[in-house]
Amino acid sequence: MSIAVVGSKFKIEEPNNNKPEYIIIHHALAKHCTIDDIQRWHLELGWSGIGYHYFISKEGYIFEGRKEEQRGGHCKQGDMNSRSIGICLEGCYQEYKNQTDKDVPAKQLKALFNLTKHLQRKYNIPVSNVKRHHDFAPYKLCPGNYFPWEEFILTLQEENILPDIDKHWAKDNIYKVVAAGIMEGFPDGEFKPNLTVTRAELATVVANLLDIM
Ligand SMILES: [Zn+2]
């Protein structure tokens, strides 16, 4: 299982000052839409372009919006636009006009799960910092009261972050270097502890070490 991300086709002028500590999940409030629709809607608001870092279609395709390091435009409360990654789901998982969807497609949930796990690993974000837009803006239901939030958080908690190192002799050391940002797992959720290291990978590890020293 891997994360297939379609790279951004938008040139968005925003400062590279985002330091992700949170992952914030939204819905589009539209039963059917594409990332191009969201780009257009946000441009019409006078923004620099799509406010989210990622958009996930109902079929489970992940599209890149803003770059992760760019300031977002999806949650102004708590200065979250420079402290989080914003992910938007196609769909309208609440009562709204004739748009209402009561079920989040399994493929979309799975893609959201994979992307969230990947971002948690990459930025060392605990499950407690995976939030709904609603948690910061209580006057909104976003990502909708029909989104199975409790179940989603439970699956994030249950799933071991790097399941393939569970019984490995070097497990504690692996967790330590991953948590410190010196090495990371593969996008498929595994660490592959017995793969050999190339010179390029070794250089990357040493460079990461130098960065934190
Ligand atoms: Zn929202």
Side-chain angles (χ1 to χ4, degrees), residues 96-164:
Y96 182 68
K97 298 182 180 171
N98 56 350
Q99 299 286 313
T100 308
D101 278 320
K102 294 200 174 176
D103 294 301
V104 183
K107 281 182 182 171
Q108 192 181 29
L109 265 181
K110 189 71 197 163
L112 176 64
F113 175 86
N114 288 344
L115 178 61
T116 303
K117 276 289 183 196
H118 165 72
L119 293 169
Q120 279 187 263
R121 268 195 306 276
K122 184 167 179 184
Y123 295 106
N124 198 22
I125 297 173
V127 177
S128 55
N129 283 11
V130 178
K131 297 289 192 190
R132 292 170 288 198
H133 188 193
H134 166 78
D135 296 319
F136 296 100
Y139 59 94
K140 290 178 186 240
L141 286 174
C142 188
N145 52 307
Y146 294 126
F147 182 95
W149 187 254
E150 281 76 23
E151 284 120 280
F152 178 67
I153 291 297
L154 269 180
T155 58
L156 288 177
Q157 283 166 346
E158 278 166 9
E159 201 104 348
N160 200 321
I161 288 195
L162 298 165
D164 62 332

Side-chain angles (χ1 to χ4, degrees), residues 25-27 52 74 133-134 140 142-143:
I25 296 165
H26 303 259
H27 66 161
Y52 309 109
H74 60 94
H133 188 193
H134 166 78
K140 290 178 186 240
C142 188

Side-chain angles (χ1 to χ4, degrees), residues 55-73:
F55 173 79
I56 305 180
S57 72
K58 287 185 170 177
E59 286 83 40
Y61 293 107
I62 301 170
F63 299 84
E64 196 179 37
R66 292 193 188 183
K67 297 284 174 201
E68 289 172 14
E69 63 272 19
Q70 282 188 309
R71 183 182 167 80

